[in-house]
Amino acid sequence: GFFQSYAVEVDVKDASNATCLYAKWMMRFLIKYETNSSDYKNASLNLSSNVTHNGSVCGNDTQAALLAVQFGEGHSWSVNFTKSNETYQGDFITFTYNTNDTAVFPDAKRKGPITIVVRDTMRPVQLNNVFVCHNADFFEAENVTQIFWNVTVQAFVQNGTISKKESRCRADAPTSAPTVPPTIANVTTASTTTLSPSPTTGPRPVENPETGNYSLKSGNKTCLLATVGLQLNVSQDKPLLININPKTTSADGTCGNTTATLKLNDGNSTLIGF
């Protein structure tokens, strides 16, 4: 089944109680951490229903806007926005996770909050436009994968009213449908976009997936081998079958003493982790 995550909605008001910064999105985090036995485990950190947005700032011509949320046992996430005369854009994303949260990080060797900062790849958006991206986006840094989807955000809102004019991300092609949320089975993620409609009147049959050979190395030795054909069967209003093409799919991951992670990326917004 598909993992059900909570959506976050933040409506920041200025001194006159008018909306100055608005965002609604979904996100989750995959984190590799070291245990007391010096091996590595994968944790999945998801948003709870209880999310606060303390410290969020409207911003102005000289000060960056800040969208900040806090959730769970000491975890927080924020992004700041800067603007020019005609556009605004995300600047840096700051994520702090707390390994004292034993429900998420059992037997963690390093205790306490850990902060990572990555540069936001969001393109400049015209002022008075709302940025929309249904498809999943991924940021990987320092053993953390941040996954976002169904994003709607507008910084430096004018006259307290969310714009009806949209600026779409590159992944949201005109023929794309909203991304299905990432799946989870242990530490497994898969996000998909729809295939382009067939020009024929009837449904086009999907062939069996081509078998791919994927491997990981630890030093100069191969530590993981997988020979597999992969097909995603997405249950929605109209069932969707997607074959993973090994010719365009890259393999990444890690090998530990007791666990191994294989990540397959087809370069088309589909990421599958085993």
Side-chain angles (χ1 to χ4, degrees), residues 77-119:
W77 181 91
S78 66
V79 58
N80 67 317
F81 299 91
T82 55
K83 77 170 181 173
S84 64
N85 292 331
E86 299 179 351
T87 63
Y88 68 91
Q89 67 184 96
D91 194 6
F92 288 98
I93 293 174
T94 303
F95 171 52
T96 298
Y97 59 97
N98 185 7
T99 56
N100 286 327
D101 186 352
T102 55
V104 179
F105 304 101
D107 197 33
K109 184 175 183 178
R110 180 178 176 182
K111 299 293 186 182
I114 299 172
T115 299
I116 65 168
V117 179
V118 296
R119 181 173 288 277

Side-chain angles (χ1 to χ4, degrees), residues 6 13 29 45 119 125 146 154 260:
Y6 288 97
K13 307 285 188 180
F29 307 91
L45 179 58
R119 181 173 288 277
V125 179
Q146 304 183 50
Q154 184 177 355

Side-chain angles (χ1 to χ4, degrees), residues 12-15 18-21 55-60 63-66 81 155-157:
V12 183
K13 307 285 188 180
D14 62 16
T19 297
C20 61
L21 174 60
S56 295
V57 176
C58 291
N60 51 42
Q63 181 185 16
L66 180 67
F81 299 91
F156 307 102
V157 177

Side-chain angles (χ1 to χ4, degrees), residues 6-137:
Y6 288 97
V8 188
E9 186 172 21
V10 177
D11 189 347
V12 183
K13 307 285 188 180
D14 62 16
S16 62
N17 202 36
T19 297
C20 61
L21 174 60
Y22 175 82
K24 185 175 183 179
W25 74 103
M26 303 183 81
M27 66 180 177
R28 61 189 296 254
F29 307 91
L30 302 178
I31 304 167
K32 185 175 74 171
Y33 69 98
E34 188 176 7
T35 68
N36 286 318
S37 56
S38 295
D39 62 350
Y40 286 86
K41 288 185 177 179
N42 291 303
S44 178
L45 179 58
N46 308 299
L47 295 184
S48 64
S49 58
N50 184 19
V51 177
T52 59
H53 56 89
N54 300 324
S56 295
V57 176
C58 291
N60 51 42
D61 291 339
T62 59
Q63 181 185 16
L66 180 67
L67 179 65
V69 294
Q70 305 81 37
F71 57 97
E73 300 296 324
H75 314 297
S76 63
W77 181 91
S78 66
V79 58
N80 67 317
F81 299 91
T82 55
K83 77 170 181 173
S84 64
N85 292 331
E86 299 179 351
T87 63
Y88 68 91
Q89 67 184 96
D91 194 6
F92 288 98
I93 293 174
T94 303
F95 171 52
T96 298
Y97 59 97
N98 185 7
T99 56
N100 286 327
D101 186 352
T102 55
V104 179
F105 304 101
D107 197 33
K109 184 175 183 178
R110 180 178 176 182
K111 299 293 186 182
I114 299 172
T115 299
I116 65 168
V117 179
V118 296
R119 181 173 288 277
D120 194 350
T121 58
M122 172 184 176
R123 292 186 297 173
V125 179
Q126 289 293 318
L127 288 173
N128 203 33
N129 276 25
V130 59
F131 175 77
V132 177
C133 192
H134 292 303
N135 281 275
D137 199 3

Side-chain angles (χ1 to χ4, degrees), residues 157-222:
V157 177
Q158 301 176 13
N159 302 319
T161 304
I162 304 301
S163 176
K164 296 186 182 300
K165 295 185 293 184
E166 292 184 355
S167 292
R168 288 296 188 109
C169 62
R170 293 185 183 92
D172 281 8
T175 56
S176 294
T179 298
V180 222
T183 62
I184 180 168
N186 296 324
V187 184
T188 302
T189 61
S191 59
T192 66
T193 56
T194 61
L195 296 172
S196 300
S198 170
T200 60
T201 55
R204 183 173 58 188
V206 177
E207 302 290 338
N208 288 332
E210 184 177 346
T211 300
N213 296 301
Y214 309 102
S215 64
L216 298 179
K217 287 186 177 295
S218 179
N220 59 358
K221 295 183 178 180
T222 299

